[in-house]
Each structure stands twice: as structure tokens, then as C-alpha cells.
């Protein structure tokens, strides 16, 4: 408390006694800080929601939100500024924001793998250096124009370096987020951009350290030299002393076990200590945290555990405070007059020209196509958090005045905002193939054309791998070389977490981010996925190419469909959204996967199958010579059933497969019992043409059986393919026939079987209409008890007339069933 006449207010107390004690909580540090955080979170999340349709990264919303809370917009009201962001509170706000930034830079460094920089190709390295050199030169040229006009009096050397760094930066985290949003993460353009941005990021931090070193207040140039040398000594100390200690801690955290809380606390303490040392040297506290993150061992469980424990709090709560702290220093109103606005245009032009032209020219020289070169140029022009860090350090050190700072912040917003629309305008990797280029969209067509079969298997986790490998082995058919090509796509959710995108810098060949050739022996579950497919590829005559779809759950079906079209696959096989527990009951893995399966079935450019897995072929793969499966096809008729039959006939070529095909034929007395039916006369799918094609398929099957029998006539072996026709009078007889086959390993059925026998089959209260009536009968009905896996097949049709999902085309089921089918 001060005496009368004292203008300097006393320090703020931490907490208040409450309004009932006559105190204003907003005059105390903690309640005011809580209010500030709530306002920041509310505004930035609202802006992020509004900008989401434009596919803008969240950093844009956070920068704009900070500016809106500052003197450029809401801060114009002195009442708002003195109430919500009074000068006395800014020290606490800045301290908390910088504390969060320290840990965020540690996470950024944690995601940058120095080993990946060694493996950076010459093309990406050349693009990165070009994207740094030309903008840096233009930045120095721009600094002369600014110093002669609105930045007169600032230190020459630091200003030159800060402007050069500010224009040459590419924001690696923001770039990765943009690539993921526009689905370029695993394309050639995405991989080149990420590699170049990673190199750019490291060089930018080195240049920034140099800029900070020479921007000190010391009068002698030797001071800057001592700062720089001390910084180099700190980096060497971290590499040769700190890194071995951290590696020792990491080795004590084995895969699959919880990380000891002591190790996490110790690591965070090391981060803070390193930040203290770099601040003591005179560089900046952020550098210490970043260096610890870069040298941190990336293998094993410890790094992932740290990210999970720290990231949500830091990125979601503390980091937005830094953008507000920056926004409070940004006053767009300082840009006044034609000269200032002309300088803003000049800065934006030089920033864009340097990055885009430099990148495009080198990309063209490296024989990158023009559209990809332009896309790389726009992508490398992305700014973000690192840009703001550079500008804030420059402003705090007195290198940038208010007007230059505001101009540079607007430049960062403009260049980042324009990235997504410009890339989408010049580069469209997902363009559909010409109709003539994509043939054999079904297994039935592929079989007739005698071309190699292309299948795409999607999987969610390592739990799906044994079943997929066994199904690939079954699909291999005969020993003819290269008759099967398989694409194994790992479905990964793109969350709002930064690490969900930052891990994409590990993308290697085939678009698989976990392809790690490091011989450390630290095999994570993701490495095991790669090992499984690579081993199978070498042991079998099957081309298995791992792929990855990193996307939001709402749009990941687009990745699946686009990849299927690019690879010209005949069928996409999806995992069921439920898995079997030990007590043989179903448990939902994640309901989002059900939605994905339904969207793929609606939009896929080829046939689709859903695999309901009950442990197909066991938990491990056996050698091809010992491989055996008993497969049953339930054939009622129609396109989907024929596709299932074609797939089964392909599998029957494998010497270890026993195939039984059961065709259901209604007797003259057959009548649908206790099911409300509405048979549509002359329905296209049930009449002439389809029935003739069904007969042709069965005739082909009989010919295959006869050929097999003739080849086995000289031995005592029995045919492995059995065809049976069952004439049924009612549905009970259908159930009895299916029960007789309940010991099969795998059922192949059509999603929408056709004909009078299938027309009334349904399962009461089914919550999985995407499996169709027969699929539900085999998985959820008490009428049929089986432990076999089920593959539900939907054949691609060029112009399908889609029925209500789960209701056969020639049936109107009871009202209660439709309601259950539509329920989530």
C-alpha cells in the first residue's frame, strides 16, 4: 500500500478474500489470471472453429485471437484493457506463457530426429537451403528499407540478422498440420516438404541464436562472441554429458510398462535447468529446452510417455497465453499512412517471393514437376510459432519497434493463411483416374481378365495383423508368381494434438511413418507391424506395401477411397468395429470405425468387404506348407454373392484351403413365414440377367471342381472344393444348413443377397445393418451359433441404386427393425 500522492501501485496479492469481504477479485493475481486464461481459450477455440471450414491451422486462430485481445481491437477500450489485462498483471501472464513455451519447445525438439536429418535426400536438402538463402538475402535488403524509414536508430547488425531470420523461417509444426489437413502428408510432395522444413527449422534456430547473441546490450563485440561460444559449449555439454544420462533413464522404461513418475519429474527438471543455463548465458531460456528435446532419445517408450503427459496441458492451456502476450504487443494502428502500408506490402512480397521463387527454381532444377514445385514453394512459405518467437525476442531486445513488429506479425498471418488455398489450387494429387485407366474394380472382373489381383487391407492396430496376414495367405491362390498385390493401410487418427502431426516427419518410403531401420532392438508395436508385413513379403510371393492414412475420423474414409482408386484395387477389406472378448461376447473397439465402414461402402470405387474376426487362423501365422482353412460360401444369388464366390474360388486355388459352396434354392412350397415381405415383381436385380449371370458363375465353379477332380484322379486325394444345392421349404431349414457348417474357419457371404430365400432373412434388433442379413445371422443371431470369422462382401456397381442400409432391396421389414437399423 502506498501513501497519498504515490502513483506507482503496489504489487498484486495472489488471492482475494472474495466479494463478500468487499474485495474485487480482479485486483488479485490468481483470479485475474484465471479470467484471462478462460477468455483466451474461449476466443481462440471459437476462432479455430470458424476457420476450420477454410482448413486453416489452429495457430492462425491463436495469433488472430491474441491480436483481437490487444490494442488493435478490444484493447482500444481502455476500460477493457485496464480491467482484464492491467499492466500489473502482464508480468505474471508473460511468465506463465514463457514457462509453457519452454515445455512446448522441448516437445518440438523431441519430435525432431537428428538421424532423420542425416537421411535427408539431396533434393530436400537443396530445396531447404534455397528456401533459406534467398529469403535471408531479401530480408537483409528489406531491413535497409525499414531502417531508412520507420526503424531509424536501431542496431544495424542485429536488425539485419533478425529480419533475415524472420523472412527465411518455415514453421515445421504448422506445415505438418497443413499437410495433414489437405491430405498430402504421405505424398511425395509432403515428404519432401517435411524433410526440407525440418532442415530449415534447425538452421533457423542456429541463426536465431546468432541473432540473440549479437543483440545484447554489451558494448564490446567480444561480449557477443563469448555468448555465442558459451552457447556452443552448452550444446556440446548436453550431447556428451546430459544425453548419456537421459539414455540411461530411457532404458529403464521398457515398452508396455508405465513410466516411473520420478523419471518424468527428473526429465522436466533437466529441461528447466537447461533453460536457466541458456538464459544465464544470454541466449534465451527457450534454447535450452529445445536442445534437450533434440538430443532426447527417440526410441522406446519414454519419449511417447513424456509427450502424452505434457502436451495437452502445454499446448491446450499455456501456449495460447503466449499468443495473447504477443498480441498485446501488436498494435495494427501503428501502421499509418501510405508509406507504412507500402512497407507492409514490400515485406509480404519479399517474404513470399524469396521463399516461393527460391524453392520453385531449385525444385524444377531437381526435376520436380511444375505443379509439385509450386506446391512446395507455397508450403515452405508457412510461418507460425517460431516466427512469433523470433519477433518477440527481437521486440524484447529492442531490435524491432512497435511498427515493424506489427508489420511482421501481419506478414506471418498472411503468408500462413494463403498456404492452404494456394496449394489446393495448384496441386491436386487426388484427381480421379480416367474411366479407361481403372479397370477390374471387382474380383469377379479381375478373375475374368486374368490380371493380377490388387487388394487393400485396412487395419487399426497390431491386433489386426495376424488375421490380415492369414487372409492374405489364403488370397494368394496358386503358386503363380506375382498374382497378388496387397496394400496394407494403417488407419491413424489425426487429432488436435501437435504430436499427432509432428510424428509425420518420420515418414519414410511407402508412406509409413514408423518405417525405422534403426538396429537398436527397441521394437515398438508400430515397428512390429512393419516387421510382420516385411517378413511375409519375403517368405511369400506376394507384394505387400505398407501405407498409412493419417486423417481426422470424419474424413479418413476419403483417404481409403482415394488410395483404392490410385492403386486400382479390386477390393478394400475393412476390419469390423467390434472385437471378440475372451468370453466370446462382442465389445466395440470404437464406434467411429463403424461410421468409416459405412462411408467406404457408400463411396468406394471398388468392391468392399468387412471382416468380422473371431481369430481367423489363430493368433500367429504358420508356414504356407502347414496353412489350412475351411471356408464356406452361402450363395443365395445376386451381385454381392457372386463377388463372394469369386473371392472364394480364388482362395480355393491355395492347396491348404477346403471350400464348400452351398447354394440355397427355394422349393415350390417355400413361403416366407412370420416376416412381412413385399416382393417387387420384375425387379432388375432378381430377374433374368442377374439369374443368368448367377448360373454362369455356378457353371464356372462346377468346371473348376471337375478340373480339380481330374487332376486328382490318379491319387487317393479327395477334391478340396465341394458344391451343394440345398432345396429349402422354410427358414428353419436354412438355419439348420448353416449350423451344419458352423465349424468352418471362415464364411464368405454377400452383403445384399437376392432371391426369394434371402428376401426374408433378417435378425431382430440388429445394430449392424452394414453386415447385411446373412452377416448379422452369423454374428448376432441365436439361431446360428458359430465361432467362425465372417467376410461380408459388397460388389462394386457402376451406378448403384442404393437401398436403405441393412434392408434388402425386395423386402420391407417391420417398422421396429428399421428403427433399430438406423440407431447408432
Amino acid at each position: 500500500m502506498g501513501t497519498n500522492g504515490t502513483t506507482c501501485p503496489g504489487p498484486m496479492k495472489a488471492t482475494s478474500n472474495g466479494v463478500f469481504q468487499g474485495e474485487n477479485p480482479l485486483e488479485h493475481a490468481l483470479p485475474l489470471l484465471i479470467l484471462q486464461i478462460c477468455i483466451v481459450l474461449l476466443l481462440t477455440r471459437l476462432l479455430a472453429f470458424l476457420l476450420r471450414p477454410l482448413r486453416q491451422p489452429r495457430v492462425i486462430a491463436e495469433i488472430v485471437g491474441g491480436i483481437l485481445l490487444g490494442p488493435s481491437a478490444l484493447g482500444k477500450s481502455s476500460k477493457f484493457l485496464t480491467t482484464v489485462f492491467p499492466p500489473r498483471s502482464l508480468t505474471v501472464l508473460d511468465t506463465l506463457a514463457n514457462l509453457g513455451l519452454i515445455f512446448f519447445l522441448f516437445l518440438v525438439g523431441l519430435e525432431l530426429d537428428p538421424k532423420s536429418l542425416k537421411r535427408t535426400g539431396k533434393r530436400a536438402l537443396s530445396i531447404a537451403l534455397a528456401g533459406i538463402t534467398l529469403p535471408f538475402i531479401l530480408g537483409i535488403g528489406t531491413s535497409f528499407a525499414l531502417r531508412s524509414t520507420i526503424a531509424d536508430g536501431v542496431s544495424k547488425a542485429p536488425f539485419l540478422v533478425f529480419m533475415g531470420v524472420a523472412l527465411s523461417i518455415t514453421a515445421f509444426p504448422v506445415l505438418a498440420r497443413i499437410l495433414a489437413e489437405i491430405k498430402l502428408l504421405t505424398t511425395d510432395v509432403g515428404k519432401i516438404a517435411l524433410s526440407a522444413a525440418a532442415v530449415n527449422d534447425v538452421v533457423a534456430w542456429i541463426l536465431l541464436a546468432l541473432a540473440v547473441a549479437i543483440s545484447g546490450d554489451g558494448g564490446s563485440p567480444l561480449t557477443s562472441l563469448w555468448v555465442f561460444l558459451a552457447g556452443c559449449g552448452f550444446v556440446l555439454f548436453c550431447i556428451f554429458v546430459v544425453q548419456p544420462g537421459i539414455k540411461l533413464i530411457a532404458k529403464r522404461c521398457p515398452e508396455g510398462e508405465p513410466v516411473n513418475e520420478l523419471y518424468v519429474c527428473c526429465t522436466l527438471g533437466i529441461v528447466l535447468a537447461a533453460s536457466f543455463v541458456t538464459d544465464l548465458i544470454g541466449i534465451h531460456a527457450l534454447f535450452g529446452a529445445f536442445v534437450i528435446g533434440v538430443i532426447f532419445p527417440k526410441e522406446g517408450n519414454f519419449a511417447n510417455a513424456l509427450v502424452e503427459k505434457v502436451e495437452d496441458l502445454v499446448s491446450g492451456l499455456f501456449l495460447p497465453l503466449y499468443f495473447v502476450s504477443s498480441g498485446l504487443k501488436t498494435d495494427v494502428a501503428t501502421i499509418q499512412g501510405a508509406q507504412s502500408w507500402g512497407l507492409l506490402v514490400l515485406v509480404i512480397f519479399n517474404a513470399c517471393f524469396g521463399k516461393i521463387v527460391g524453392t520453385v527454381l531449385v525444385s524444377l532444377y531437381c526435376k520436380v514437376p511444375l505443379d509439385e514445385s509450386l506446391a512446395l514453394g507455397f508450403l515452405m512459405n508457412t510461418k507460425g510459432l517460431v516466427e512469433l518467437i523470433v519477433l518477440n525476442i527481437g521486440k524484447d531486445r529492442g531490435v524491432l519497434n512497435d511498427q515493424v513488429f506489427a508489420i511482421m506479425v501481419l506478414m506471418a498471418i498472411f503468408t500462413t493463411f494463403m498456404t492452404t488455398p494456394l496449394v489446393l489450387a495448384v496441386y491436386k494429387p487426388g484427381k480421379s483416374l480416367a474411366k479407361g485407366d481403372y479397370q477390374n474394380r471387382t474380383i469377379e472382373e479381375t478373375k475374368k481378365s486374368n490380371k493380377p489381383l490388387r487388394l487393400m487391407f485396412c487395419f487399426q492396430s497390431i491386433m489386426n495383423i495376424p488375421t490380415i496376414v492369414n487372409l492374405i495367405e489364403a488370397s494368394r491362390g496358386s503358386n503363380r508368381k506375382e498374382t497378388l498385390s496387397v496394400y496394407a493401410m494403417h488407419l491413424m487418427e489425426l487429432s488436435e494434438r501437435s504430436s499427432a502431426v509432428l510424428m509425420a516427419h518420420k515418414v519414410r518410403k511407402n508412406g509409413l511413418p514408423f518405417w525405422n531401420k534403426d538396429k537398436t532392438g527397441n521394437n515398438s508395436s508400430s515397428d512390429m507391424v512393419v516387421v510382420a508385413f516385411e517378413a511375409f513379403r519375403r517368405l511369400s510371393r506376394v507384394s505387400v506395401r505398407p501405407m498409412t492414412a493419417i486423417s481426422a475420423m470424419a474424413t479418413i474414409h476419403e483417404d481409403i477411397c482415394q488410395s483404392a482408386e490410385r492403386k486400382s484395387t479390386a477390393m478394400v477389406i475393412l476390419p469390423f468395429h467390434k472385437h471378440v472378448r475372451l468370453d466370446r461376447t462382442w465389445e466395440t473397439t470404437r464406434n467411429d470405425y463403424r461410421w468409416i465402414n459405412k462411408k467406404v461402402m457408400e463411396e468406394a470405387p471398388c468392391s468392399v468387404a468387412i471382416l468380422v474376426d473371431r481369430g481367423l487362423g489363430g493368433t500367429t501365422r504358420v508356414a504356407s506348407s502347414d496353412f489350412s482353412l475351411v471356408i464356406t460360401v452361402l450363395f443365395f444369388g445376386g451381385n454381392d454373392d457372386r463377388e463372394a464366390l469369386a473371392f472364394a474360388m480364388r482362395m480355393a486355388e491355395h492347396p491348404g484351403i477346403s471350400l464348400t459352396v452351398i447354394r440355397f434354392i427355394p422349393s415350390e412350397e417355400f413361403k416366407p413365414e412370420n416376416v412381412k415381405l413385399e416382393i417387387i415383381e420384375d425387379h432388375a436385380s432378381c430377374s433374368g440377367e442377374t439369374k443368368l449371370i448367377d448360373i454362369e458363375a455356378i457353371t464356372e465353379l462346377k468346371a473348376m471342381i471337375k478340373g480339380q477332380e481330374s487332376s486328382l484322379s490318379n491319387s487317393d486325394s479327395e477334391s478340396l472344393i465341394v458344391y451343394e444345392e440345398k432345396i429349402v421349404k422354410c427358414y428353419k431349414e436354412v438355419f439348420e444348413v448353416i449350423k451344419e457348417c458352423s465349424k468352418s474357419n471362415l464364411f464368405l457371404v454377400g452383403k445384399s443377397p437376392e432371391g426369394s430365400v434371402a428376401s426374408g432373412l433378417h435378425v431382430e434388433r440388429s445394430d449392424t445393418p452394414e453386415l447385411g442379413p446373412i452377416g448379422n445371422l452369423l454374428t448376432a443371431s441365436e439361431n446360428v451359433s458359430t465361432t467362425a470369422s465372417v467376410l461380408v462382401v459388397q460388389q462394386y456397381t457402376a451406378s448403384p441404386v442404393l437401398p436403405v442400409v441393412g434392408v434388402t432391396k425386395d423386402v420391407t421389414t417391420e417398422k421396429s427393425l428399421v428403427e433399430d437399423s438406423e440407431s447408432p
Side-chain angles (χ1 to χ4, degrees), residues 351-362:
C352 296
F353 183 85
K355 273 287 183 185
I356 296 171
V357 172
T359 303
V360 169
L361 290 179
V362 175

Side-chain angles (χ1 to χ4, degrees), residues 84-101:
V84 181
F85 295 101
R88 288 191 301 168
S89 71
L90 296 185
T91 301
V92 177
L93 182 66
D94 288 346
T95 302
L96 192 60
N98 278 279
L99 183 64
L101 191 63

Side-chain angles (χ1 to χ4, degrees), residues 142 173 308 402 452 525 586 692:
T142 306
E308 290 181 2
D402 290 346
S525 60
W586 291 106
L692 285 174

Side-chain angles (χ1 to χ4, degrees), residues 502-739:
L502 291 180
M503 59 86 184
H505 79 280
K506 300 175 184 176
V507 171
R508 293 293 174 261
K509 65 178 182 179
N510 300 330
L512 189 69
F514 302 117
W515 192 277
N516 186 3
K517 295 184 178 179
D518 189 9
K519 306 290 186 181
T520 58
N522 296 315
N523 292 324
S524 65
S525 60
S526 50
D527 298 323
M528 293 166 64
V529 169
V530 177
V531 170
F533 287 125
E534 179 67 9
F536 180 75
R537 186 187 67 80
R538 292 178 179 178
L539 292 172
S540 306
R541 295 178 179 179
V542 177
S543 170
V544 181
R545 181 172 179 179
M547 303 170 66
T548 304
I550 306 175
S551 191
M553 282 295 181
T555 60
I556 201 167
H557 67 279
E558 297 175 4
D559 298 66
I560 298 171
C561 296
Q562 290 172 7
S563 296
E565 186 163 8
R566 286 198 298 269
K567 304 303 181 185
S568 300
T569 57
M571 178 178 284
V572 174
I573 299 176
L574 305 164
F576 191 43
H577 71 279
K578 295 182 180 181
H579 63 271
V580 177
R581 298 191 299 189
L582 293 176
D583 59 357
R584 311 306 298 175
T585 58
W586 291 106
E587 181 180 25
T588 300
T589 305
R590 184 169 175 179
N591 212 45
D592 290 331
Y593 289 122
R594 179 192 174 193
W595 186 89
I596 292 170
N597 291 349
K598 292 174 73 173
K599 294 297 289 183
V600 172
M601 282 188 142
E602 292 171 5
E603 301 178 13
C606 60
S607 295
V608 181
I610 295 179
L611 177 60
V612 182
D613 181 28
R614 287 194 176 107
L616 177 64
T619 57
T620 58
R621 185 188 174 263
V622 296
S624 298
S625 57
D626 300 324
F627 183 82
S628 63
L629 279 181
V630 179
I631 298 176
T632 300
V633 176
L634 303 179
F635 190 87
F636 294 87
N639 296 334
D640 295 351
D641 279 24
R642 284 199 314 277
E643 186 74 356
L645 178 60
F647 198 9
M649 290 171 66
R650 163 80 187 205
M651 293 180 179
E653 295 177 7
H654 194 291
I657 299 292
S658 298
L659 173 63
T660 301
V661 179
I662 300 175
R663 183 185 182 191
F664 293 92
I665 301 175
S667 66
E668 294 180 359
E669 300 88 16
F670 182 85
K671 290 182 180 179
E673 305 167 358
N674 65 11
V675 181
K676 293 185 179 179
L677 289 183
E678 191 175 298
I679 304 295
I680 301 176
E681 296 182 7
D682 242 3
H683 195 280
S685 62
C686 291
S687 63
E689 185 179 351
T690 300
K691 289 183 179 179
L692 285 174
I693 301 175
D694 290 346
I695 293 171
E696 288 178 7
I698 295 298
T699 303
E700 188 178 347
L701 172 66
K702 291 177 179 178
M704 183 179 181
I705 296 173
K706 190 172 290 186
Q708 190 182 75
E709 288 175 348
S710 63
S711 64
L712 297 173
S713 59
N714 296 328
S715 64
D716 296 332
S717 303
E718 295 182 2
S719 175
L720 297 176
I721 306 176
V722 177
Y723 171 68
E724 299 178 6
E725 291 185 352
K726 299 290 185 179
I727 300 176
V728 293
K729 299 178 181 179
C730 60
Y731 294 114
K732 288 183 180 179
E733 293 186 5
V734 176
F735 299 152
E736 292 299 324
V737 171
I738 297 176
K739 282 181 184 179

Side-chain angles (χ1 to χ4, degrees), residues 716-794:
D716 296 332
S717 303
E718 295 182 2
S719 175
L720 297 176
I721 306 176
V722 177
Y723 171 68
E724 299 178 6
E725 291 185 352
K726 299 290 185 179
I727 300 176
V728 293
K729 299 178 181 179
C730 60
Y731 294 114
K732 288 183 180 179
E733 293 186 5
V734 176
F735 299 152
E736 292 299 324
V737 171
I738 297 176
K739 282 181 184 179
E740 293 174 5
C741 307
S742 60
K743 293 186 178 180
S744 300
N745 299 118
L746 177 66
F747 281 98
L748 265 73
V749 299
K751 175 181 175 287
S752 300
E754 299 168 10
S756 55
V757 176
S759 62
L761 285 172
H762 67 274
V763 180
E764 297 288 345
R765 296 181 297 278
S766 168
D767 63 344
T768 54
E770 64 272 18
L771 296 183
I774 311 302
N776 274 307
L777 190 67
L778 292 168
T779 57
S781 174
E782 296 178 358
N783 294 315
V784 178
S785 177
T786 180
T787 58
S789 299
V790 182
L791 190 67
V792 181
V793 178
Q794 173 185 280

